[in-house]
Every structure is written in C-alpha cells, then in structure tokens.
Amino acid sequence: MIGRRTLLLGASALVFAGSAVGLSACNGAGGGGAVGEDEMVLGNADAPVTLIEYASSTCSHCAAFHAEVFEELKTNYIDTGRVRYVFREYPTAPAPIAVAGFQLARCGGATSEQYFTRVGELFRQQSAIFATGTMEGVRGKFIEIGAAAGLSEEQVMQCITDEAGAERIRRVVEEGNRQFSITGTPTFVINGQKVTDPSVVTYAGLSRLLDAAGAGAAAN
C-alpha cells in the first residue's frame, strides 16, 4: 500500500537533488465504478463501453501499451464514440517520480487533451528520464517537458510539490486496491469488470474484449 508520506516525497525528492534513482519494473497486469470529477476522461460519456486503465508514469509496461496500442484504441474506439476511456493514476516505483510526473501532466489546469499529450510525452521520454541517474536530472527533464508544453520552471515546481495532488492519488490507489486488489500496472477494467486476460495489452486482444463488451451492452 502506498501511503500519504510516500506520495508526498514526490515533492521533496525533486526539490532536493542528488539522489541516485533507478527504474523498477512494473508488473504486467490484466480499474471501475463511477467516474470522479477529478479524473481524466476521453470519449463520449454515453458510450456503451467504459474502459478504465490504472497506470503509472514510471511503468515500462504502461509506456509500451501507450506506444503500441493507445493511438489505435483512440482512433477506432474512443474518437468514434464506442468507448469512454478513463485514466487512473496508480504510481509504481519510484513512486515519488510517478506522482511528480502526474502532477506535471495536470499542471496549469490542463484539459484532458493536454493531460494525455503530456502523459504520452512522459511515456515517450521514460527511458531518458531515468537515464539521467539523479533526482536533479529527473527534475531537469520535467522542467524541459513542461517548457515544451508552455509551462515555466516555477509552474512546474509548484505543480509537482502540490500536496493536494498526492492526496488525490492516494485516494485513487486506496479505492483501486479496495475494489480490484491491483497487483500491477497497467490494469484494465471494462464495464466495471477487472480484466484478467493477458492479451488486453495488445490491440488485437483489447479490441476483441471491447467488441464483446459492446455486443453485451447492446443486448441488454
């Protein structure tokens, strides 16, 4: 269980530089309930299928999913109104950096589109972020990514040190664990049911599951 103190270290770890960091592997996994007002959502609210992804900005499996599957998912299912997509922030090690990344993605009152663009960039640069080898280097990369999104260094630092963000993520983690006993990321939920089929991380597998869920919703 990730506690409040661990999440709040996301602020201090990036403010005080010099510590070595490494990327811990996340577990490839298979999510639900009502959509909260502070969640990031894409797609038609009345779509017959709701897909929830629990993911971490420091998870290599999540980065691979977004590099290999997400654009097709968005084009063929989200943008066409067939699927409502909900992204839930679930930090994996090193959790402080994952939390700071999510805060950067939300910085400046980001819209959903802005948020997902920034999350995509965090995934794209994930290896480069950790290759810096120090918290100072990670901080520098976050400031660089923020600048490309039109954010000042001051804005970035204010966002990643915002304790309200750590509290928000803690609530997501606790509720996700309570509902679904999450053991790894990414974890997916389709229409309230946690997905255990490992093929969900492939486009072929995910599309098959989404099509089945859509057919089931139409029959009811």
Side-chain angles (χ1 to χ4, degrees):
M1 176 72 71
I2 300 173
R4 179 178 183 276
R5 181 175 180 276
T6 298
L7 294 180
L8 291 179
L9 288 175
S12 60
L14 291 175
V15 171
F16 300 103
S19 301
V21 297
L23 177 59
S24 298
C26 49
N27 297 324
V35 176
E37 62 181 12
D38 61 354
E39 293 188 299
M40 290 299 177
V41 182
L42 292 173
N44 182 4
D46 296 322
V49 177
T50 295
L51 171 67
I52 299 174
E53 178 187 1
Y54 283 89
S56 174
S57 63
T58 55
C59 168
S60 59
H61 295 285
C62 302
F65 175 82
H66 280 259
E68 299 166 7
V69 178
F70 183 74
E71 283 307 315
E72 274 193 284
L73 166 67
K74 186 173 185 298
T75 298
N76 296 329
Y77 287 90
I78 299 171
D79 293 345
T80 57
R82 299 166 66 189
V83 167
R84 178 178 62 163
Y85 171 78
V86 183
F87 186 92
R88 288 188 175 164
E89 300 164 338
Y90 193 98
T92 57
I97 295 174
V99 172
F102 287 138
Q103 287 299 96
L104 169 60
R106 288 177 177 264
C107 197
T111 64
S112 289
E113 293 290 347
Q114 289 173 323
Y115 174 87
F116 285 109
T117 296
R118 295 175 192 175
V119 167
E121 188 64 13
L122 289 168
F123 283 139
R124 190 182 72 81
Q125 296 203 45
Q126 190 181 85
S127 295
I129 289 168
F130 286 96
T132 63
T134 66
M135 284 296 187
E136 182 176 11
V138 172
R139 182 180 63 183
K141 288 296 292 181
F142 280 178
I143 291 170
E144 175 187 311
I145 292 170
L151 301 169
S152 68
E153 179 176 345
E154 181 181 9
Q155 283 178 298
V156 171
M157 295 310 297
Q158 285 178 344
C159 288
I160 65 177
T161 57
D162 180 7
E163 293 190 6
E167 287 291 346
R168 180 193 71 250
I169 292 171
R170 180 188 59 80
R171 292 193 300 270
V172 172
V173 168
E174 290 184 351
E175 183 65 11
N177 287 343
R178 184 187 67 80
Q179 288 187 309
F180 300 109
S181 302
I182 296 171
T183 59
T185 55
T187 290
F188 297 91
V189 169
I190 297 177
N191 283 354
Q193 298 297 314
K194 179 180 176 180
V195 178
T196 57
D197 185 338
S199 73
V200 70
V201 296
T202 68
Y203 181 75
L206 178 58
S207 61
R208 175 176 51 79
L209 293 165
L210 292 175
D211 289 346
N220 292 332

